[in-house]
Structure formats: structure tokens, C-alpha cells
Amino acid sequence: MKNISLLLVLLCVLSACAHKSAPQSGDELVMLVGTISGKGGNGLYSYRFNQENGESVLLDSLALDNPTFFSLNGEKVYAITENNDMDDALCCVNLNKENGHMVVQNSQVAGCAGPCYVDCRGNMAVTAHYAGGALVKYTLDGEGNVADATIAHLGSVIGTHPNQKSAHVHCSMFSQDGRYLFMTDFSADRVLQFAVGDELVLVDSVNVRPNSGPRHITFSPDGRFAYVIGELSGEVTAFRFDNERLEKIQTVMSDTVDAQGSADIHVTRDGRFLYASNRLKADGLAIFSIDRKTGMLNKVGYQLTGIHPRNFVITPNDKYVLVACRDSNVIQVYERNVETGLLSDVKKDIVLDKPVCVRFAEKR
């Protein structure tokens, strides 16, 4: 009897290993998750996620201090370490997109505290530093290593809300054609636009409503419209983008209970719906339909989630929304109704301590 039991255990282990190392199908993607891990703990995780049935399998984990946000650039992952001190850095991680294995290649100290966002394009990576109130530009060498860092402090322009008493910036995102970099200036209630060259040159500044605290920005798939979530106001501000400048066209409410904790924002690949997350009260996702001709939004629903949905991601096939609920220690998997945009919990939670950033490593 003992021999039979041992054999069964061995077969289960071999089966799990075979599944873990098996080549991924067209519906399976490597998914990366950044967490609040503290110093010295495993902070970055990779999973295999099936975007047809919503199933996930853990592949690998990596010791990295508080990788609360990261960006993918080919086979490289550029992850911040958010310790809110002068040791905060940007790390280059090698990712095997077949089996999810991760290895740190190099890192570069920022010289500025509190990074909270990173984006990459070509030989440049840019981080937004909330605590330091600055933009940091890194050069990426031919091997993808993070090289010299240049800090651009944004001055002391601040708003009137108590959370805007010092300079904070929250997002730094390249336009789809790479010509511009957009940055949300949280404390000054504005979106800054830089021309991208050897240097970043400020070419425009667009205000949002006072006390908005602009946090994240996203673009429609065709690049014609941009949407900014205000953390403090709970508003989504819509812009028309003519490939040169942003023009404000609409402001609508995402947070209707004055929680002052709105967080993330994304548009579906088909351009028909926008989702925005809210925290601190009535934690969940506001759901908007998009008029694809005008870019205007219409609120069509609200999905309550776990606690503190700081970040979420939509699968490339638009079928699922995965919500990283930091304080519930879970990534919830919601299936989308592609016609209405409404969500339903499929009860395939990914249990993980303090998840705060989720991304898919898509094959090219």
C-alpha cells in the first residue's frame, strides 16, 4: 500500500512538472505579477495564463524588492524597486517567454526616491517618481542593460488638496508612435507632453480640474483618444489626440462616493469599453462604453471587487479582466460580456500576497 501511495505522489509531481514546462499554446501567455514584498523577499512572479478558460499555473518567482510596477520590452522586463529611499532602482530582468524563467541582468540606482511607473521605448526607459516629484530618464545599451540615469525635477508647482502639498508625479507613458512622452503631474493637476529625442523636451501642458490628482493615462487602440484617471477627484478626463496635442473633450465620474482613491485605467483592444478602478470605498471597477467616432464615454456599470484594486489588466483577446486586489491578497479573474462590457467573477482567483501590477508577455 505504501508503494502504491508513493507511486501516486511521484506521478502527480511528474505530471505537474510536465505541465509547467510544456510549450504554451496559442491561448496561453506568460503573465507577470509585481508585489509589495519588502526588502529581501521574492517580489516578481510569473504564471502561465490561459486566456480562453481563465486557468493559471505558477511558473517562477524572483527575489526583487517591491517591484510595484514594470514594463516589458521584448525579452526584457524593466521593474522598479519602490522602497521610497535613495536606493530605489530600475532593474533589467531577462524573461524566457516559453517557461516564465526570470533572471536579473542588471540594475541602476535612480538617485531619486519613490518610483511608481516605468515605460520603455527603443533605447530609453523613463520612470515617474511620486515621492521624489521627478521624472528619471535611463539609457538602455545594446544588451538592454539600464545605464546612466538623468533626473528632471519638475519644480514646486502644487495644488490645494492636502495630498498635493509637495510635488508628485505618477505616470510616464510613451505615445504609440514613440514621438512623445506623456506624464501625469499629480500635484499640479496637469498632463505634461514631451517630445522624444536624445533629450526630452517639454512641448505642451494640459490642465485637468483642480484637486484631480491625475494618476494614470491610457490611449484608445487607434491612438486618437486619451483618458486620464484622477485619483483625488475620481474623474475620468477624455482627450482628443491629433498626433500633436491633447484636447480635452469630456469629464465623467468613475468614483461616485468621494473615496479619493481612484487608481488604474485601461481600454479594451476593440476600443469599445473603458474600465477604471477605485479604492478606499466601494472598491471596484467603473465600466464605460466608448463612442469610437467621438471618444466620448457613457457609464454602463460598476463591478465591486476585492480590497484596494490598485492595478488591473485586460487579456489580449478581451475575454477577461484580472484585478490585482492588494489588500485582499488576490488577483481576481472576471469574464467580460463583450457586448455590454459587464463583468462576472469566474472564481479562479490567484492567491498572492500584496499583488499590485499585472502584465502579459505577449509573443511577437
Side-chain angles (χ1 to χ4, degrees), residues 161 163 230-234 253-262 278-284 302:
H161 190 277
N163 290 5
E231 178 174 337
L232 303 177
S233 67
M253 292 304 300
S254 171
D255 163 26
T256 60
V257 296
D258 194 30
Q260 300 184 36
S262 297
N278 304 294
R279 307 165 295 171
L280 306 184
K281 297 179 185 177
D283 293 33
Y302 197 91

Side-chain angles (χ1 to χ4, degrees), residues 144-302:
N145 292 299
V146 185
D148 55 297
T150 303
I151 302 174
H153 289 284
L154 299 175
S156 57
V157 178
I158 59 174
T160 59
H161 190 277
N163 290 5
Q164 296 174 313
K165 288 184 177 179
S166 59
H168 301 302
V169 299
H170 219 299
C171 178
S172 52
M173 176 181 287
F174 288 99
S175 61
Q176 288 158 318
D177 60 10
R179 295 173 59 208
Y180 298 107
L181 179 83
F182 294 92
M183 192 200 69
T184 54
D185 190 338
F186 178 93
S187 295
D189 291 317
R190 61 186 179 176
V191 179
L192 301 180
Q193 180 179 345
F194 300 84
V196 177
D198 292 336
E199 303 296 330
L200 297 173
V201 179
L202 181 65
V203 294
D204 200 14
S205 173
V206 179
N207 292 329
V208 293
R209 289 182 181 177
N211 297 332
S212 289
R215 182 179 171 96
H216 282 187
I217 184 170
T218 191
F219 282 83
S220 61
D222 60 10
R224 295 171 53 231
F225 306 104
Y227 303 92
V228 174
I229 183 73
E231 178 174 337
L232 303 177
S233 67
E235 295 174 332
V236 176
T237 305
F239 298 87
R240 183 179 297 110
F241 182 56
D242 63 0
N243 291 321
E244 294 294 337
R245 297 291 185 270
L246 293 173
E247 177 190 356
K248 188 161 52 177
I249 58 175
Q250 184 190 23
T251 301
V252 295
M253 292 304 300
S254 171
D255 163 26
T256 60
V257 296
D258 194 30
Q260 300 184 36
S262 297
D264 204 10
I265 187 167
H266 295 287
V267 177
T268 54
R269 295 289 179 99
D270 63 11
R272 296 178 59 199
F273 292 94
L274 178 143
Y275 297 84
S277 70
N278 304 294
R279 307 165 295 171
L280 306 184
K281 297 179 185 177
D283 293 33
L285 270 61
I287 306 167
F288 300 87
S289 64
I290 302 175
D291 185 318
R292 286 183 286 180
K293 290 183 179 180
T294 66
M296 302 285 277
L297 301 175
N298 178 48
K299 196 169 186 178
V300 296
Y302 197 91

Side-chain angles (χ1 to χ4, degrees), residues 54-123:
E55 299 286 349
S56 60
V57 177
L58 177 65
L59 297 175
D60 196 14
S61 63
L62 182 67
L64 210 58
D65 295 347
N66 298 316
T68 57
F69 207 89
F70 56 85
S71 178
L72 290 108
N73 189 9
E75 300 294 326
K76 309 294 184 184
V77 181
Y78 292 94
I80 62 173
T81 61
E82 188 179 356
N83 298 313
N84 288 313
D85 59 31
M86 297 309 290
D87 291 330
D88 287 341
L90 181 64
C91 302
C92 174
V93 176
N94 282 320
L95 170 68
N96 185 316
K97 289 188 178 181
E98 290 294 334
N99 59 25
H101 184 58
M102 300 176 292
V103 178
V104 175
Q105 178 171 309
N106 92 306
S107 65
Q108 175 70 44
V109 173
C112 184
C116 58
Y117 201 100
V118 57
D119 199 11
C120 306
R121 184 61 62 101
N123 65 347

